[in-house]
Each structure stands twice: as C-alpha cells, then as structure tokens.
Amino acid sequence: MTQKSGGFAWAVMLRLAVRDAGLRPAEFWSLTPAEFGLIIGIDEVQKPLNRARLAELEALYADKMGGN
C-alpha cells in the first residue's frame, strides 16, 4: 500500500495502535492525537496555538517591511 504525498498515514498509525500498543481499533479512533502520542512514546508535543503562541510565532516569523 502506498501513501499519497502530503496525506496522513492512517494505516501506519492504526497498525502501531493495534499491533504494538495492543489497542482495539475502536479504542484507537476514540483517542486524541495527544493521547495516542503518549501511548506510542512521543514525549514532545507541539505547543497549542493560543494567543501567546501566536504572538511568539509572529515575532519569530515577522513580515519584513519595504518588500525585502
């Protein structure tokens, strides 16, 4: 099975959940991405996009004035 470019690898994620984590498919589909990440050992989760995070990103990637 091939994965389309830019798509999400649902089959891979489901396989990890069922085969490696021992979940039933219904349990996998009821998880949030953060919960699933913890189950498979992803410790680093992206910061939520709230007002403070948006301001931080705007400061990091500010548009330059004058067309440069």
Side-chain angles (χ1 to χ4, degrees):
M1 180 184 331
T2 60
Q3 177 70 32
K4 287 171 47 175
S5 179
F8 197 78
W10 290 109
V12 173
M13 301 304 279
L14 183 57
R15 192 175 309 116
L16 279 172
V18 173
R19 186 184 62 201
D20 298 347
L23 299 174
R24 294 187 314 253
E27 293 171 323
F28 167 75
W29 292 113
S30 69
L31 293 172
T32 66
E35 291 168 333
F36 184 65
L38 288 172
I39 288 171
I40 63 170
I42 299 174
D43 295 336
E44 187 177 318
V45 178
Q46 289 183 344
K47 295 179 184 178
L49 186 58
N50 54 25
R51 288 184 186 267
R53 179 65 176 145
L54 181 59
E56 183 181 336
L57 290 171
E58 287 175 333
L60 287 170
Y61 302 102
D63 292 336
K64 295 180 181 178
M65 299 299 287
N68 291 336

